[in-house]
Amino acid sequence: MNRKIIHVDMDCFYAQVEMRDRPELKNVPVAVGGLPGTRSVLCTSNYIARKYGVKSAMPTDYALRLCPDLIVIEPNFDKYSNESKKIQLIFDKYSKLVEPISLDEAYLDVSIESSATSIAKKIKNDIFEQTNLTASVGVANNKFLAKIASDWNKPNGLFVILPKDIKSFVDQLPVKLIPGIGKKGIEVMTKLQVKTCLELQQISKELLHSHFGIFSQSLINYAQGIDDRLVQNDLQRKSISVETTFLEDIQDNEILKFSLRTLHEELCLRIKDHVESVGPKTVKKIFVKVKFDDFSRTSCEICLDQTDDNLDRIINDAEAFQNLLNNCLKKKLKTVRLIGLGVKFKTKSEKEFNQQSLLTLCGLS
Ligand code: TTP
Ligand code: MG
């Protein structure tokens, strides 16, 4: 069956919320993030600031050098989380199969609808009516293309890739837009003289494999606009994670520490929202992953006591993630391009299995 997938992504989300609440910020460069002089990084910036090169994950002090008039606002996560909840309710109105990706982004599977485009328009209108915020929306037959489409006409965009147009759309698509390709991947593509997906389609499987390992199969699929990943709703969710890719590779441990703290706050919000929507969950493991400037990666995880409600511990214990990060960093003395952290949940079947084993041990089954 031809699927119909919608990807919704709010425009410069945190910054837009702040601009809505302080109209005097409407026509000036604005960023949300750690204050100057704290060695912290920005969460995001508005579109005026982006013209100066100011972007997410950029150290605040560096951003101020690019744009001295930049207004930097400290993040108010509760406010963003409230707006996010309103948006999620709108998504739930239009599909039973919604996969939230972050506070401001989600995929919806609307395959059963006759017109995905009209649903996309309604979602945009509802969001604006209820929050006074704009979103950009993409429609296509899979997640990869729907996400590319939502970014195509940002801000306040709506872009639809019809099945008949996929080939011509994908052929001219720059490979740098393929998810997961990163800076190092682009360097390899440049060496192979590959700029577009059409050029990527012409590279042999073997050559791609020699450079990209198992990622090469995904590359081959993406190059043809193929992506079989399903939209997974919250109930099926086995993990939640957040990550940030630095614009410049980072060596300074203080910056990494600050970023981890911000990411931990975002992770906690995401977990709280998740638990509010699906009910209590038990965390099996927490993990931190790090990608280095040479494309190599490492991760560290610890198993938790699986008491039924161990979420509070995670929410109050940024230190545990910090220790995992330190362990990752000890493994290699290299500069860092990405850090991520997350939790893995105990699944329903694991819970049932454990309960069953307990009953068996007690001779009760
Ligand atoms: P994004 O959707 O990636 O960015 P955005 O909404 O600010 O801008 P765009 O219009 O390009 O979609 O992220 C959503 C929010 O997540 C963003 O407003 C702030 C937060 N965030 C961080 O805190 N750190 C990051 O590195 C990124 C990318 C986002
Ligand atoms: Mg966004």
Side-chain angles (χ1 to χ4, degrees):
M1 185 176 90
N2 193 21
R3 295 187 298 154
K4 294 175 190 165
I5 311 295
I6 292 178
H7 180 254
V8 183
D9 189 336
M10 302 299 290
D11 302 319
C12 60
F13 184 44
Y14 296 0
Q16 202 193 162
V17 174
E18 298 301 342
M19 286 156 71
R20 176 197 66 186
D21 295 347
R22 290 170 56 183
E24 74 275 15
L25 299 178
K26 201 171 164 213
N27 298 313
V28 295
V30 175
V32 175
L35 295 182
T38 58
R39 294 165 102 184
S40 49
V41 292
L42 298 179
C43 299
T44 192
S45 60
N46 70 356
Y47 283 76
I48 302 177
R50 288 184 198 189
K51 285 190 191 143
Y52 294 83
V54 172
K55 296 179 190 165
S56 310
M58 180 177 270
T60 305
D61 289 343
Y62 182 72
L64 277 161
R65 264 181 265 150
L66 294 179
C67 178
D69 295 330
L70 184 70
I71 309 278
V72 181
I73 300 170
E74 274 194 292
N76 178 342
F77 291 108
D78 285 342
K79 196 152 86 166
Y80 314 140
S81 169
N82 274 339
E83 297 309 317
S84 176
K85 278 180 198 147
K86 293 182 203 162
I87 299 162
Q88 301 291 337
L89 286 176
I90 296 169
F91 298 155
D92 292 341
K93 186 172 137 193
Y94 290 105
S95 173
K96 285 199 165 49
L97 201 44
V98 178
E99 180 175 338
I101 300 297
S102 67
L103 288 183
D104 88 321
E105 186 185 339
Y107 290 101
L108 285 77
D109 187 321
V110 293
S111 304
I112 58 169
E113 300 291 339
S114 55
S115 168
T117 308
S118 85
I119 301 285
K121 284 183 188 156
K122 286 184 188 159
I123 291 173
K124 268 174 73 72
N125 286 341
D126 282 10
I127 291 178
F128 193 70
E129 265 177 22
Q130 291 181 35
T131 65
N132 226 355
L133 298 169
T134 62
S136 292
V137 181
V139 182
N141 71 355
N142 64 46
K143 285 170 133 181
F144 162 53
L145 292 176
K147 187 166 165 71
I148 298 275
S150 73
D151 212 35
W152 210 248
N153 281 337
K154 247 182 187 298
N156 201 9
L158 169 62
F159 190 71
V160 181
I161 304 171
L162 296 171
K164 70 176 175 55
D165 299 328
I166 291 176
K167 174 143 179 55
S168 58
F169 182 83
V170 168
D171 281 356
Q172 48 76 46
L173 199 67
V175 285
K176 66 177 182 209
L177 297 182
I178 291 180
I181 198 152
K183 213 159 101 187
K184 283 279 153 10
I186 292 165
E187 275 170 30
V188 176
M189 292 294 180
T190 309
K191 266 190 215 142
L192 298 174
Q193 297 188 315
V194 167
K195 275 208 193 80
T196 64
C197 285
L198 180 61
E199 286 161 348
L200 179 53
Q201 289 162 30
Q202 287 152 358
I203 301 287
S204 79
K205 258 186 178 176
E206 293 70 25
L207 184 57
L208 271 185
H209 193 268
S210 70
H211 288 287
F212 291 97
I214 48 165
F215 185 49
S216 57
Q217 189 50 52
S218 305
L219 283 174
I220 292 167
N221 287 340
Y222 286 140
Q224 300 168 76
I226 297 171
D227 176 13
D228 295 328
R229 289 173 302 157
L230 297 175
V231 175
Q232 288 193 313
N233 68 20
D234 253 354
L235 282 171
Q236 297 153 306
R237 190 166 272 251
K238 295 191 186 107
S239 66
I240 292 187
S241 64
V242 293
E243 63 181 43
T244 199
T245 303
F246 299 105
L247 290 179
E248 299 289 326
D249 296 338
I250 305 278
Q251 230 167 352
D252 184 335
N253 271 4
E254 283 300 305
I255 295 182
L256 294 175
K257 243 166 127 174
F258 267 111
S259 309
L260 185 113
R261 220 173 287 160
T262 317
L263 281 174
H264 179 253
E265 288 196 47
E266 199 193 328
L267 177 70
C268 293
L269 277 180
R270 300 259 319 272
I271 295 174
K272 279 186 192 160
D273 285 352
H274 178 68
V275 171
E276 263 177 40
S277 76
V278 300
K281 282 216 162 172
T282 307
V283 173
K284 199 163 62 167
K285 287 174 182 170
I286 66 171
F287 64 90
V288 167
K289 62 177 181 179
V290 174
K291 271 192 203 166
F292 296 98
D293 58 346
D294 64 351
F295 228 28
S296 63
R297 57 181 78 197
T298 185
S299 64
C300 285
E301 58 179 35
I302 45 169
C303 295
L304 300 186
D305 279 354
Q306 291 172 31
T307 44
D308 267 348
D309 186 8
N310 54 12
L311 285 172
D312 283 348
R313 205 174 118 200
I314 291 154
I315 286 162
N316 294 319
D317 194 2
E319 200 65 23
F321 289 93
Q322 191 65 55
N323 292 338
L324 289 176
L325 176 66
N326 291 341
N327 290 342
C328 286
L329 298 177
K330 272 186 217 149
K331 290 192 196 170
K332 280 195 175 175
L333 291 172
K334 292 192 182 296
T335 44
V336 171
R337 61 183 288 260
L338 172 150
I339 59 174
L341 55 154
V343 297
K344 289 183 187 161
F345 295 115
K346 199 164 162 181
T347 57
K348 210 172 151 225
S349 52
E350 282 169 330
K351 266 190 178 170
E352 281 163 6
F353 177 75
N354 287 354
Q355 274 158 4
Q356 193 57 40
S357 323
L358 198 66
L359 291 176
T360 312
L361 268 176
C362 301
L364 294 173
S365 88

